Amino acid sequence: MNAATSTANPTAAAAASGAVQREREAFYGRADTQHLAPLWTRLRSLVPEAPTPVGVAHRWAYADVRPYVLESAAHISAREAERRVMILENPGLKGSSQITNSLYAGLQLIMPGEVAPAHRHTQSALRFIVEGSGAYTAVDGEKTTMQPGDFVITPSWTFHHHGHEGSGPMVWLDGLDIPLVGFFNATFREDHPRDEAELTRPEGDALARYGSGLLPVGYRSASLNSPVFNYPYARTREALHALTRAGAPDPHLGHLMRYVNPLDGGWAMPTMATTIRLLSAGSATLPYRSSDSAIFIVVEGRGEMRVGEQRFALTPHDVVVVPGWMAYTLHAADDLVLFSYSDRVAQEKLGFFREQRG
Ligand code: 1HN
């Protein structure tokens, strides 16, 4: 075998004599002057046999982070901050503002009477409501008042602002595809000329029109997102509990459901796959892994998540990130509800999503 063509194989590389290796290094050095580099020294790390984790598995206990989220209001207003958010940054990706290789997460706080001013950007956002009541978000001309457990969509390039007409702090989890859009270098933003963008439809219009098992006859949409932009937890919770009466859960996933676009049956958003699951009290799942790194938030209940050697106790509103291709199991002490989001939908569309049970 020709040594020069076999160095992608580490044992063959080790076999190259000192003289051969010195000549190669000299060649690489000269090639570098032309901004050329040999693939064969890098091929194995560019194309490993299986995904190598980016970032680490981690849990943010809500009891630990909540005081910091609330304290942020003592330091800055929502208007001055534009969005008053404490970023959940993966400890293995410090300084990146990333929770996974492709996604962002943060905990946003809005206080009574505040407005987070209207803007739009090419990144898509999701909200998963953690605590409080009386705050609303207005997306593309319609307002929705948010309750804990609600899943709310802000599609790419739609104007959105938030306000709070109730009492007490309101906190939600923001999920955005910031790193994904950044990877494509396709980030644009625009501020609305006013703090509050105009409302063109009454509250509840989208849910009634598209989210009630009905659709306007002849309705077509150019959007890649579900026309339903608030999936209320009251409905979701009822559905999850009905499932437990009708049959056994998936042994690896529990009673796992995805948020759906009623127009085409696809995922609710084009870049972020969103799911919610219920594990009945006392149950546990078998190991599961998939190529999408995922962010989980506990909606209700207590339990444990095991990822490799790590054991994360789960209590309401705790957030856990699991890097792709790391197997995990879930253990429910009481009825445990978990929301999660990942880039699975993008991976599926691009043809490389993989999963493994066991
Ligand atoms: C954003 O627009 C929101 O609208 C939240 O609430 C978090 C993080 C980075 C960029 C834009 C929001 C954000 C964001």
Side-chain angles (χ1 to χ4, degrees), residues 57-319:
H58 187 75
R59 178 208 47 194
W60 288 263
Y62 192 61
D64 293 341
V65 300
R66 184 176 187 270
Y68 292 88
V69 173
L70 295 186
E71 186 183 333
S72 67
H75 300 291
I76 194 162
S77 69
R79 181 173 271 102
E80 191 191 346
E82 188 165 339
R83 297 294 185 266
R84 187 175 48 220
V85 180
M86 297 306 287
I87 298 171
L88 300 170
E89 188 173 68
N90 191 301
L93 300 169
K94 277 231 155 295
S96 68
S97 305
Q98 294 177 208
I99 190 161
T100 70
N101 51 310
S102 61
L103 298 175
Y104 159 102
L107 289 169
Q108 179 158 179
L109 172 67
I110 188 157
M111 298 299 282
E114 288 193 313
V115 171
H119 67 195
R120 62 179 174 176
H121 36 71
T122 45
Q123 292 95 342
S124 301
L126 65 84
R127 329 273 168 207
F128 193 82
I129 314 311
V130 173
E131 64 165 301
S133 65
Y136 66 85
T137 184
V139 180
D140 201 22
E142 187 177 332
K143 194 168 163 174
T144 186
T145 303
M146 301 178 284
Q147 304 294 336
D150 290 358
F151 159 59
V152 178
I153 298 174
T154 305
S156 172
W157 209 242
T158 54
F159 277 115
H160 55 284
H161 65 272
H162 318 305
H164 191 346
E165 294 163 335
S167 57
M170 180 117 187
V171 178
W172 61 78
L173 175 71
D174 285 316
L176 286 92
D177 52 9
I178 293 172
L180 190 66
V181 178
F183 175 80
F184 290 102
N185 204 12
T187 301
F188 296 87
R189 67 160 294 142
E190 186 181 339
D191 292 325
H192 196 278
R194 289 178 305 283
D195 278 355
E196 299 177 43
E198 59 282 1
L199 299 174
T200 55
R201 292 180 304 283
E203 178 160 4
D205 188 74
L207 193 60
R209 218 175 267 274
Y210 314 110
S212 305
L214 301 166
L215 288 174
V217 172
Y219 178 74
R220 297 269 183 284
S221 169
S223 173
L224 298 173
N225 291 268
S226 168
V228 178
F229 74 108
N230 186 347
Y231 293 72
Y233 186 55
R235 289 190 185 184
T236 303
R237 188 175 196 281
E238 204 180 308
L240 287 173
H241 282 277
L243 297 176
T244 66
R245 298 190 285 273
D250 182 303
H252 298 268
L253 301 169
H255 294 286
L256 177 66
M257 304 291 274
R258 63 188 175 85
Y259 289 90
V260 67
N261 179 341
L263 297 182
D264 63 4
W267 296 95
M269 303 179 74
T271 52
M272 292 186 283
T274 51
T275 68
I276 193 156
R277 81 185 75 196
L278 172 64
L279 272 84
S280 298
S283 72
T285 59
L286 295 172
Y288 173 85
R289 64 177 176 173
S290 51
S291 53
D292 54 329
S293 306
I295 299 99
F296 298 80
I297 183 165
V298 181
V299 189
E300 290 184 58
R302 279 158 209 281
E304 188 176 76
M305 185 173 210
R306 298 185 188 158
V307 188
E309 296 304 301
Q310 286 167 289
R311 299 233 184 311
F312 299 123
L314 302 177
T315 61
H317 318 316
D318 292 352
V319 176

Side-chain angles (χ1 to χ4, degrees), residues 21-89:
Q21 199 52 35
R22 276 192 298 281
E23 278 171 34
R24 286 179 186 170
E25 295 295 340
F27 168 58
Y28 303 158
R30 282 183 285 111
D32 183 59
T33 66
Q34 300 304 312
H35 310 291
L36 295 169
L39 171 63
W40 57 91
T41 63
R42 305 180 184 183
L43 198 146
R44 294 280 159 145
S45 59
L46 285 177
V47 189
E49 276 183 11
T52 48
V54 174
V56 297
H58 187 75
R59 178 208 47 194
W60 288 263
Y62 192 61
D64 293 341
V65 300
R66 184 176 187 270
Y68 292 88
V69 173
L70 295 186
E71 186 183 333
S72 67
H75 300 291
I76 194 162
S77 69
R79 181 173 271 102
E80 191 191 346
E82 188 165 339
R83 297 294 185 266
R84 187 175 48 220
V85 180
M86 297 306 287
I87 298 171
L88 300 170
E89 188 173 68

